[in-house]
Amino acid sequence: MSDSDTQSLTDSVTDYPMENGRRYHRYHEGGKWLNSTHFFIFRRCLICRESLPYPNDEQELDRLDMQHHMFKLVMSGRLYHVPLEDPKEILDIGTGSGIWPIEMAPLFPHAAITGTDLSPVQPTEVPENVHFLVDDATEDDWLWNPNHFDFVHISHMTGAMPSFKELLRKAFTYTKPGAYLECHEMDPKPKCDDGTMPPENPDGYSAFALHDWYDLNMRSSKDVEPSRQFRIAPRIERWMKEVGFVDVKQQVFKIPTNTWPTDDHLKEVGKWSESNWLEALSGWSYKPFLALGWSKPEIEVFLVNVRKSIQDRNVHAYMDFFIVTGRKPSPGEV
């Protein structure tokens, strides 16, 4: 392939659409780009399409780094929870800003760490053992042979794909026997343990607008955009077992919506959580609500009340953050 061809492919995949003041992914269906340093060697390209209803601009990348810091705070600074012994091949699906592979690199300097995403928005100056790949993990034919990876990490896929269970099935195929898969996912359904959160109203709007925001996203993903599976976190453990992983373990952590907790650690987590929600809310809302037939002014008015509910210290709301790990059985293992 010539340099001009490579450049044209690069220009094409980075020709991002701008909507509602935000920049979104554009992806060539079936297209994959990679080179030995960062991007791109072209594999094949079919029809250009838009993917993922969430932004990929600098504002969103900064938010993803902030969210990464919040989850590390929840996990006491850890990046993973499985027993890794000198892994050679590590895959991060949905790498976003690329911060997870970059932080993993010094921990495993002899491992080749690959991050995949729909857009090449990751930094170009990265550790030598880190590479990024423009790839759609929902495709059946991944770039590697089966039984390739020593560790696969999947995170933050809420609302991003039609079937998370199928993604787990593919990850099972490309994970080595005896190797591990780890999933990090937050359940967006608001919860409360002390009765301070107003109840949901199935017949109309609730007194707590965050309930309605969640319900509208569920409706959008089910009725209008069936290619988006919005609530996946509580089902990952069961799905992982069903596709064949063993030693499946689940941990659940509470992430407060704001600084309402009296516990110092949870209050600190809540501070980051509130900032994350307020920064993410418009980007998480526009495309799903527009798909429901809402206008931009209607969305803006509604989000005012959602922001108020997120910031309400009198409501002790939280979301569950799930960490689920599993191992691919060794040959002959039941």
Side-chain angles (χ1 to χ4, degrees), residues 200-206 212 215:
E200 297 180 74
N201 181 7
D203 300 320
Y205 287 116
S206 307
D212 303 319
D215 290 340

Side-chain angles (χ1 to χ4, degrees), residues 4 16 36 39 58 71 84 184 187 215 241 247 310 320 325 329:
S4 61
Y16 303 119
S36 59
F39 300 109
E58 293 301 322
F71 288 134
L84 295 181
H184 297 176
D187 182 10
D215 290 340
K241 292 177 181 178
D247 293 342
I310 290 169
D320 283 331
T325 61

Side-chain angles (χ1 to χ4, degrees), residues 247-259:
D247 293 342
V248 177
K249 299 176 182 178
Q250 174 176 280
Q251 301 179 70
V252 183
F253 299 87
K254 294 180 180 180
I255 298 185
T257 54
N258 58 47
T259 58

Side-chain angles (χ1 to χ4, degrees), residues 91 93 137-142 145-149 152 154 161-176 181-183 229 235-245 327-329:
L91 175 64
I93 298 176
T138 64
E139 292 185 3
D140 291 329
D141 58 330
W142 288 10
N145 293 323
N147 305 319
H148 182 82
F149 290 102
V152 175
I154 306 175
M161 58 181 51
S163 174
F164 192 80
K165 183 177 180 180
E166 284 304 309
L167 177 62
L168 296 177
R169 196 185 307 279
K170 293 180 177 69
F172 184 89
T173 298
Y174 290 93
T175 303
K176 291 179 181 177
L181 169 69
E182 181 163 338
C183 299
Q229 196 171 27
R235 295 182 279 177
I236 294 175
E237 180 184 26
R238 173 169 58 85
W239 287 337
M240 200 178 287
K241 292 177 181 178
E242 288 174 353
V243 302
F245 287 96
R327 178 175 59 83
K328 183 172 181 175

